[in-house]
Amino acid sequence: NAEYMGKPPHLTLSKMSFTLPALPFAKDALKPHISPETLDFHYGKHHQAYVTKLNGLVKGTADESASLEEIIKAKDGAVFNNAAQIWNHTFYWNCMKPNGGGAPKDGSLLQQKIVESFGSYDKFKEEFSAAAAGHFGSGWAWLVATPEGKLKVTGGHDAINPMKDKSGTAILTCDVWEHAYYIDYRNDRGAYAKAWFNLVNWDFVNKNLA
């Protein structure tokens, strides 16, 4: 049986043995903002390594038949870190698409919530970009939907995500580990965050609110 970690079917992950989900786009599809070389390393090496490590860590344990979500909520240490990084990266890939970017569609639930929560799309973009560029060390910038129905920007160090820190439901993320941008932008994380907004898959983000 498959375990869903999100709504689209390409987020499906098998039980018993965790596998690397396919990218939802071709490796050259995010040019010029993210290069095929970055994806070769980020997806092909780093994301794959988390899958390989998690399978080794859970082999012969009760966690071998658990879902990623179950592991993320219940575990700490290396098992949590690798499970969360698999989930985080798969979510991140789906937050992007070729010819993405722009602003959410006028009249969409997402657009309404952004205006409600931040005042305007530009103010949201400014806050999210600052969170991504200014995050200390490795981690993630997240946009979450809170139980009260508001949207807020949060940051998670290392592998921490909203499922773990209970800050809300993840609807958008930007990876700010150096391996996400160093090949293309060297140490200029701010330039990466600015370019990344040209790739945001607002349709995916809007579905996460539904």
Side-chain angles (χ1 to χ4, degrees):
N1 290 332
E3 282 293 331
Y4 281 92
M5 56 160 284
K7 294 180 176 62
H10 50 247
L11 289 181
T12 302
L13 294 161
S14 302
K15 273 199 168 190
M16 302 305 291
S17 180
F18 296 100
T19 56
L20 182 67
L23 284 173
F25 40 72
K27 281 191 182 176
D28 64 353
L30 304 185
K31 293 191 301 181
H33 310 295
I34 294 177
S35 68
E37 186 183 5
T38 286
L39 287 172
D40 277 336
F41 280 88
H42 194 182
Y43 171 75
K45 305 288 186 189
H46 291 279
H47 198 178
Q48 178 63 66
Y50 297 127
V51 174
T52 302
K53 286 176 187 171
L54 182 63
N55 281 326
L57 288 166
V58 302
K59 190 174 182 180
T61 73
D63 292 328
E64 194 172 20
S65 61
S67 68
L68 284 176
E69 291 89 345
E70 288 167 343
I71 293 173
I72 289 166
K73 290 171 183 175
K75 297 293 179 177
D76 292 300
V79 172
F80 161 76
N81 285 331
N82 285 281
Q85 285 293 78
I86 296 170
W87 195 96
N88 294 350
H89 279 86
T90 303
F91 193 83
Y92 169 70
W93 305 133
N94 284 281
C95 286
M96 298 183 289
K97 70 175 183 178
N99 304 310
K105 289 175 185 170
D106 281 343
S108 66
L109 177 61
L110 178 62
Q111 190 256 352
Q112 293 168 19
K113 289 288 185 185
I114 284 175
V115 171
E116 218 175 84
S117 303
F118 299 96
S120 70
Y121 170 75
D122 287 340
K123 286 180 181 175
F124 152 71
K125 186 177 178 181
E126 184 181 339
E127 185 173 332
F128 192 93
S129 297
H135 183 87
F136 184 79
S138 299
W140 302 81
W142 297 93
L143 179 64
V144 303
T146 69
E148 297 76 38
K150 292 282 189 181
L151 301 184
K152 72 174 181 177
V153 173
T154 66
H157 283 288
D158 299 326
I160 295 294
N161 62 30
M163 201 185 312
K164 189 65 169 179
D165 67 16
K166 299 180 175 64
S167 55
T169 300
I171 65 168
L172 175 69
T173 195
C174 181
D175 186 350
V176 295
W177 283 64
E178 281 195 341
H179 61 230
Y181 61 87
Y182 208 83
I183 289 170
D184 298 327
Y185 299 95
R186 297 298 184 253
N187 63 329
D188 193 348
R189 191 194 283 171
Y192 155 69
K194 183 178 179 181
W196 175 83
F197 263 98
N198 293 302
L199 298 169
V200 174
N201 183 352
W202 293 116
D203 291 334
F204 175 75
V205 182
N206 195 55
K207 283 176 188 172
N208 292 329
L209 269 179

